[in-house]
Each structure stands twice: as C-alpha cells, then as structure tokens.
Amino acid sequence: MTGPVWDDMVTVGRIVRPHGNKGQVVVAGETDFGDERFRVGATVWWLRAGTPEPVTITDGRPHDGRWVIGLEGVRSIDAADALRDWELRVPAATLRPLGPQAYYVHELAGCRVETADGRKVGTVDRVDFRSGTPILVVLAGAGREVLVPMAEEICRRIDVSAKVIVIDPPEGLIELNDR
C-alpha cells in the first residue's frame, strides 16, 4: 500500500529553526487551525529522502505567533537544526470544510486574477501572511510580481472552482505593488 503523494498534500507549516536543546522546533504555521494541526498526538508529514513520511507531534504550544513543537524521534538540537526549512503537510482529505467566503491557500494558488473591467493581472503564485492582511502574490509575467491585499473591498469575487479572482483595486494599487 502506498502513502499520500507529496504534491497532493497541503502545507500546514514550515520549520524555521530549533528551539532549545531537546529537539523542539519553531514552526511558522500556514493554517488557521494550529490548535488542531500542532496538538500533541497529531500526525503531520514531512519529506524524508524524497518520500513522504508521517511523524507524530510529541509537544506543541503557540509561541510569539508561531508554534514550538516536538516531533517523534527528534531529541537533540542538531537533529532539530537538520530540519530547518522542512515543510509539514497533511493529506488534503483531512481538511475540514470551510464556511462561505473562506478558502484554503492551496485553492487560491493558480487562480487567474483579473480586474472588474476585464484586465488580466496574472496568476496567484502564493499567499503571503507576513503583514497581518493576507497578500496574494500574483505572477504578472516577465518575472514581475503584483501584490494584492486579500481585502473584501478589493477582492470582489473569488471562485476557486473556476480558478478566477476578480479584483476592484483602488487606482494605482497594481502599479504601486508591482515588484
């Protein structure tokens, strides 16, 4: 029997660095359900030697906007440091249904972004959470990225099944946020 396919799984966090000297790690969560995903006894998956493997969380607590967790078999600072930048994922089938006007990040990635008047902006590459308001990072061609705040006033229609997001940006927003 084969396990889940890594590319079909959903990222719930990324290991940032070791915490302390007993193998705990700091995780930047990419989930609104951190209490569920990073609780003691929960299972997440990591990619070890090219193969997705489950790992059990042995300790977990929120800390300064992130999570400090222990992972089964990781008992030293050196072992924890070797996990730096590793992704933690879960099978998509384990995701709970969301209410209206709520979306998982993986549902937004790949959506076409266009303005209300039909002008093509680009395609969502990822969602950046570092600023307080989630920001759509839209690939606009020629290596350009356009940053679009995920605010109701701007993102007027999101249809993840059609893979389209219609925005009504204030004048100059696209040009201002074109990197």
Side-chain angles (χ1 to χ4, degrees), residues 116-134:
D117 61 6
R119 190 174 83 189
K120 182 178 183 206
V121 178
T123 304
V124 175
D125 180 54
R126 65 188 181 280
V127 181
D128 189 331
F129 292 95
R130 291 178 286 187
S131 72
T133 297

Side-chain angles (χ1 to χ4, degrees), residues 131-175:
S131 72
T133 297
I135 304 290
L136 296 174
V137 179
V138 180
L139 298 180
R144 294 177 22 248
E145 292 180 337
V146 175
L147 306 179
V148 179
M150 272 201 71
E152 283 183 50
E153 302 80 26
I154 296 170
C155 295
R156 295 303 195 163
R157 183 172 68 89
I158 299 175
D159 184 343
V160 294
S161 61
K163 299 299 276 180
V164 66
I165 299 173
V166 176
I167 63 171
D168 189 11
E171 188 170 328
L173 178 89
I174 293 174
E175 295 75 19

Side-chain angles (χ1 to χ4, degrees), residues 4-179:
V5 175
W6 185 251
D7 289 339
D8 293 340
M9 298 177 83
V10 178
T11 303
V12 293
R14 295 175 194 277
I15 297 174
V16 177
R17 61 178 172 76
H19 181 82
N21 60 5
K22 295 183 180 175
Q24 293 183 324
V25 294
V26 174
V27 173
E30 295 185 19
T31 176
D32 288 340
F33 308 108
D35 290 333
E36 176 184 326
R37 295 294 176 200
F38 303 121
R39 69 175 165 67
V40 174
T43 299
V44 292
W45 294 70
W46 56 19
L47 194 60
R48 192 184 211 69
T51 303
E53 292 182 2
V55 61
T56 301
I57 295 176
T58 58
D59 186 31
R61 67 183 186 281
H63 179 72
D64 289 337
R66 294 185 173 173
W67 287 85
V68 174
I69 65 172
L71 296 162
E72 187 174 53
V74 180
R75 294 191 178 93
S76 72
I77 191 169
D78 291 334
D81 193 48
L83 302 176
R84 192 182 295 261
D85 297 324
W86 282 32
E87 288 184 23
L88 301 175
R89 295 187 180 187
V90 297
T94 67
L95 299 177
R96 68 167 72 164
L98 298 176
Q101 305 303 311
Y103 311 95
Y104 284 109
V105 170
H106 72 278
E107 294 176 312
L108 299 171
C111 283
R112 183 179 73 253
V113 178
E114 56 189 45
T115 62
D117 61 6
R119 190 174 83 189
K120 182 178 183 206
V121 178
T123 304
V124 175
D125 180 54
R126 65 188 181 280
V127 181
D128 189 331
F129 292 95
R130 291 178 286 187
S131 72
T133 297
I135 304 290
L136 296 174
V137 179
V138 180
L139 298 180
R144 294 177 22 248
E145 292 180 337
V146 175
L147 306 179
V148 179
M150 272 201 71
E152 283 183 50
E153 302 80 26
I154 296 170
C155 295
R156 295 303 195 163
R157 183 172 68 89
I158 299 175
D159 184 343
V160 294
S161 61
K163 299 299 276 180
V164 66
I165 299 173
V166 176
I167 63 171
D168 189 11
E171 188 170 328
L173 178 89
I174 293 174
E175 295 75 19
L176 174 69
N177 287 311
D178 187 345
R179 310 192 284 180

